[in-house]
Amino acid sequence: MGPPGAGKGTQARFVADHFGVPAISTGDIFRANVSQGTPLGIKAKRYMDAGEYVPDEVTNLMVRNRIDEDDAAPGFLLDGYPRTLAQVTELDGMIGYTGHRLDAVVVLTVDSEELVQRLLQRSETDGRADDTEDVIRRRQEIYTEQTEPLIEVYRDRGILVEVDGMGEVDDVTARIFAALDVIPQS
Ligand code: AMP
């Protein structure tokens, strides 16, 4: 978890590689569907472009199908899911059914002004449609309203791992590994 621009996608791949499990990014799956023009992509696009969350029932079904795939059987890392309290409940149900359990929820903490600057920079390199300043600020608001409350939920469950997400990518990765108590691969 972490606000937009915190570096979730980048760090998720490092952590998933370390554990040899797939990094399942709901944002990436939505973007792939948008670029292929699938019905799911068409449905998701207007929410994404506005910086809003795609409705829970659409997102939940997509995640349910994805974690049912064979490569996710040994475990998986979710990047960008759950993002609402309803998704937390839904995920509990899904993994209750598949027999997985949540080992850790990593939250990257970052300064909000630095985030806007990072995202504006990303818009120049990646050309993401939702990286304009207005949409970035809207995405931050939605994160604060809908996703930040999840931090307390997972803290209460004793699986929250808070990591300072500021600074160089490698330093943040090292902090995540240290917090998860794993030895990084060279
Ligand atoms: P991300 O790449 O994680 O920043 O996600 C990009 C966009 O995809 C978000 O701004 C939402 O519109 C949508 N999205 C990704 N994950 C979710 C989710 N768990 N629930 C609802 N919408 C999501």
Side-chain angles (χ1 to χ4, degrees):
M1 285 176 58
K8 289 190 298 293
T10 306
Q11 299 298 339
R13 283 186 285 273
F14 292 136
V15 176
D17 281 354
H18 173 85
F19 288 106
V21 296
I24 299 175
S25 157
T26 42
D28 283 353
I29 304 176
F30 282 133
R31 276 184 291 279
N33 277 276
V34 170
S35 63
Q36 288 157 21
T38 67
L40 175 67
I42 292 163
K43 217 180 285 178
K45 186 177 185 326
R46 63 190 171 101
Y47 297 100
M48 296 173 77
D49 286 351
E52 308 285 330
Y53 285 168
V54 177
D56 284 335
E57 57 281 11
V58 176
T59 310
N60 288 335
L61 182 64
M62 184 177 86
V63 173
R64 181 181 293 273
N65 290 334
R66 179 62 188 88
I67 67 175
D68 252 356
E69 287 179 31
D70 289 347
D71 66 334
F76 47 83
L77 183 146
L78 291 167
D79 161 19
Y81 184 92
R83 264 170 149 119
T84 65
L85 289 168
Q87 291 178 12
V88 169
T89 308
E90 190 71 21
L91 178 61
D92 288 339
M94 286 180 215
I95 63 177
Y97 176 77
T98 57
H100 292 100
R101 64 161 198 278
L102 286 182
D103 294 313
V105 174
V106 178
V107 181
L108 296 177
T109 52
V110 249
D111 169 77
S112 69
E113 261 324 297
E114 153 123 16
L115 285 185
V116 176
Q117 296 315 318
R118 274 196 203 178
L119 289 171
L120 288 173
Q121 217 171 8
R122 182 170 80 185
S123 71
E124 283 167 22
T125 50
D126 297 6
R128 264 179 61 163
D130 57 353
D131 276 345
T132 62
E133 186 155 359
D134 283 356
V135 176
I136 290 168
R137 296 211 185 269
R138 182 67 191 138
R139 284 162 58 211
Q140 284 186 332
E141 266 171 34
I142 304 263
Y143 177 83
T144 307
E145 282 165 20
Q146 303 210 34
T147 306
E148 246 176 30
L150 275 54
I151 292 177
E152 289 314 311
V153 171
Y154 288 122
R155 197 196 310 281
D156 286 350
R157 293 192 193 181
I159 54 171
L160 190 75
V161 177
E162 279 179 292
V163 175
D164 175 7
M166 303 290 288
E168 296 301 316
V169 170
D170 290 354
D171 293 337
V172 177
T173 309
R175 278 178 222 140
I176 295 174
F177 281 149
L180 290 175
D181 212 12
V182 298
I183 299 151
Q185 289 158 333
S186 56

